Amino acid sequence: MISAGLFAFSCTCLAALFEVHSFPLPDPHAHVLLANADSDKTADVFVLDGLLLTAYPSAANYAPVVIPLADGTSAFDIADLDGDGKNEVMAVCHDRILRYSIPTNGTAPPGEELFSLKNYLGPSTSPYPQVLVVKHEGRSVLALPSDDTVELREADGALASKYEASERTFVGAADKTRLGPLSFSSREDDLELDVWMMSEIEPKSPSPGSPFPPLPSVLTGRKPERRPFPGGRQGRVGEWFPLKKDGTTLLRAVCEERRRGLRTIVRIREAKSDEDDFLDKNITLGPERTYAGALISYGEYYPDFNGDGYVDLTLWKAPSPGMSVDSLTRAITGGVWPIDMVFHLFSPEKKRFEPTPWSHIALTAPVSWFLEGGPVRNEVFGDFNGDKRTDFALGKDNRTYAAWLSTKKGFPQSPDFEYSLPEDIRDVFCADLDGAGSTSIGLRTAKNLYLLRARP
């Protein structure tokens, strides 16, 4: 059990862009969750280590609150079932449906058994997050899947409604692939980070006109974005991304990277309708345009550096070391090599990225990174200060993290925020914790989670 002495500490550094909070990770395989632990609107940090769920409420200066889950617990949800404005932990343990209060401090009492119901979700060797609480006719109920139905149950176990279960209705203990869109899982040197945001469940409704209500995100962070064309962003021509910030795909950038000289070839693809877009017919492809540098993949967040509603282009490039003795000696002895982050704005009138870079950031990266997948690591695109412009952050080396704010004139050469960690950064995630449009960043090391919380 985590003692009271292991509570999170906080500090501010360089600029007032982020507050830095640190949370201990008792096990390298502990899950990190984002949800509301108190009654405010700020998502809080939860750490799941085996059967021990520890909440760090922001309203209590991140002092730990411990919720011990019962042995055999499978699915659990962090939600407000009774409508009192404060979340509880709802859990399935075999056939038992349990409710745990989240106290303001200390350790939660054992879970209260609400009722018993045979269901698809239990038992499990370890707990996992799952949407259990949904809205039905204006009130919160429990959605519990069985073999062929999803039953909506009141807190006392009374049946509120029943729906036929579709193939993608629920997530079993051994299959977490349907969790997302903030679903993130990574392993490195026996370390693992999981940040979950629950996907929506859409069972088939029993009749037209009575659709099953969409399930809200259990773990608040970024709002779910519309995902683009089925099959991901890898197409026949190369990688692509939507050009509208809202994620719609009628207008896309199709990119092909050519390693010789680190060049990226971009064509603008345009469809006249959603049907044409989906079926890949009646498509217009613009001319090939060449940009110096290698493409940075965007993941879930599409950057809009000037706030015009269109997604912009980010590349990196580095000078070739050549074969001179001097250049090779500098690379080996210095341990770092220069790189340039290059940003091109999209012009909706010209339907192309501008040939002249809007901005660039001159950096250095460890030479070893070039040999291990590329020199750009732990990058985050987000709006750190809530001004509707996309900002940029990355790891400058294994232990230094930096962020730059976008301005009308571009990015400054010196970072607006820089923080040195005592351990190597292993993973990164980002989320809007307050729902106010400002992106916070989480950094995972071997022993701690560092939360760079955006100031409102």
Side-chain angles (χ1 to χ4, degrees), residues 293-308:
L295 185 69
I296 300 293
S297 296
Y298 290 146
E300 297 288 344
Y301 194 100
Y302 305 120
D304 174 13
F305 300 119
N306 60 345
D308 67 350

Side-chain angles (χ1 to χ4, degrees), residues 137-195:
E137 297 181 351
R139 65 188 188 278
S140 295
V141 295
L142 291 158
L144 299 170
S146 61
D147 290 337
D148 54 5
T149 62
V150 173
E151 297 183 0
L152 302 188
R153 295 275 177 171
E154 307 282 359
D156 61 1
L159 181 65
S161 191
K162 183 185 293 188
Y163 295 92
E164 177 187 351
S166 68
E167 205 172 288
R168 62 192 189 93
T169 297
F170 41 77
V171 179
D175 179 8
K176 300 181 184 179
T177 60
R178 297 185 182 94
L179 294 178
L182 191 60
S183 176
F184 180 91
S185 182
S186 178
R187 279 185 178 272
E188 181 177 347
D189 297 335
D190 231 14
L191 291 173
E192 184 177 20
L193 169 68
D194 291 283
V195 180

Side-chain angles (χ1 to χ4, degrees), residues 235-255:
R236 287 171 291 182
V237 179
E239 185 167 353
W240 64 268
F241 56 86
L243 285 168
K244 292 295 293 293
K245 178 64 177 172
D246 61 10
T248 54
T249 58
L250 295 183
L251 194 65
R252 313 186 202 178
V254 181
C255 307

Side-chain angles (χ1 to χ4, degrees), residues 280-355:
D280 200 24
K281 68 178 185 179
N282 302 322
I283 301 298
T284 301
L285 276 176
E288 289 188 355
R289 301 184 188 278
T290 303
Y291 299 85
L295 185 69
I296 300 293
S297 296
Y298 290 146
E300 297 288 344
Y301 194 100
Y302 305 120
D304 174 13
F305 300 119
N306 60 345
D308 67 350
Y310 288 87
V311 179
D312 302 311
L313 182 67
T314 306
L315 307 167
W316 70 267
K317 59 182 181 179
S320 172
M323 294 304 294
S324 70
V325 173
D326 179 62
S327 61
L328 293 176
T329 300
R330 280 192 297 120
I332 294 171
T333 59
V336 296
W337 194 255
I339 65 168
D340 244 3
M341 300 300 306
V342 185
F343 309 92
H344 294 262
L345 298 182
F346 182 73
S347 170
E349 295 81 15
K350 301 173 185 175
K351 292 186 179 177
R352 72 176 190 188
F353 295 106
E354 295 290 1

Side-chain angles (χ1 to χ4, degrees), residues 259-272:
R259 279 292 177 182
R260 291 189 62 182
L262 281 183
R263 296 175 298 144
T264 298
I265 310 300
V266 181
R267 302 184 75 180
I268 305 304
R269 175 192 183 276
E270 188 171 12
K272 296 189 180 300

Side-chain angles (χ1 to χ4, degrees), residues 103-119:
T104 55
N105 55 67
T107 301
E112 169 196 7
E113 182 173 342
L114 298 181
F115 57 91
S116 181
L117 180 72
K118 185 176 181 180
N119 63 86

Side-chain angles (χ1 to χ4, degrees), residues 5-225:
L6 289 177
F7 58 84
F9 70 84
S10 65
C11 66
T12 56
C13 52
L14 200 83
L17 180 59
F18 294 109
E19 297 173 353
V20 182
H21 303 269
S22 175
F23 307 92
L25 299 177
D27 184 89
H29 299 291
H31 298 295
V32 175
L33 314 171
L34 299 177
N36 290 96
D38 45 41
S39 56
D40 65 17
K41 294 183 179 180
T42 300
D44 304 305
V45 172
F46 285 73
V47 176
L48 176 64
D49 176 28
L51 291 170
L52 200 65
L53 182 63
T54 303
Y56 295 91
S58 57
N61 199 29
Y62 295 107
V65 174
V66 181
I67 303 108
L69 302 177
D71 189 20
T73 297
S74 53
F76 71 92
D77 190 356
I78 303 166
D80 181 12
L81 179 64
D82 55 16
D84 65 352
K86 185 176 180 180
N87 280 350
E88 306 142 310
V89 177
M90 308 303 304
V92 177
C93 182
H94 298 270
D95 294 343
R96 301 164 64 213
I97 310 303
L98 304 177
R99 176 168 58 188
Y100 298 82
S101 63
I102 303 177
T104 55
N105 55 67
T107 301
E112 169 196 7
E113 182 173 342
L114 298 181
F115 57 91
S116 181
L117 180 72
K118 185 176 181 180
N119 63 86
Y120 176 87
L121 297 171
S124 173
T125 55
S126 59
Y128 57 90
Q130 162 77 31
V131 173
L132 295 175
V133 179
V134 301
K135 288 292 184 181
H136 175 68
E137 297 181 351
R139 65 188 188 278
S140 295
V141 295
L142 291 158
L144 299 170
S146 61
D147 290 337
D148 54 5
T149 62
V150 173
E151 297 183 0
L152 302 188
R153 295 275 177 171
E154 307 282 359
D156 61 1
L159 181 65
S161 191
K162 183 185 293 188
Y163 295 92
E164 177 187 351
S166 68
E167 205 172 288
R168 62 192 189 93
T169 297
F170 41 77
V171 179
D175 179 8
K176 300 181 184 179
T177 60
R178 297 185 182 94
L179 294 178
L182 191 60
S183 176
F184 180 91
S185 182
S186 178
R187 279 185 178 272
E188 181 177 347
D189 297 335
D190 231 14
L191 291 173
E192 184 177 20
L193 169 68
D194 291 283
V195 180
W196 306 106
M197 177 182 282
M198 309 305 297
S199 63
E200 294 185 348
I201 294 175
E202 299 180 18
K204 300 173 183 177
S205 62
S207 63
S210 57
F212 190 86
L215 302 191
S217 298
V218 169
L219 307 177
T220 57
R222 206 159 39 218
K223 290 183 179 179
E225 302 173 32

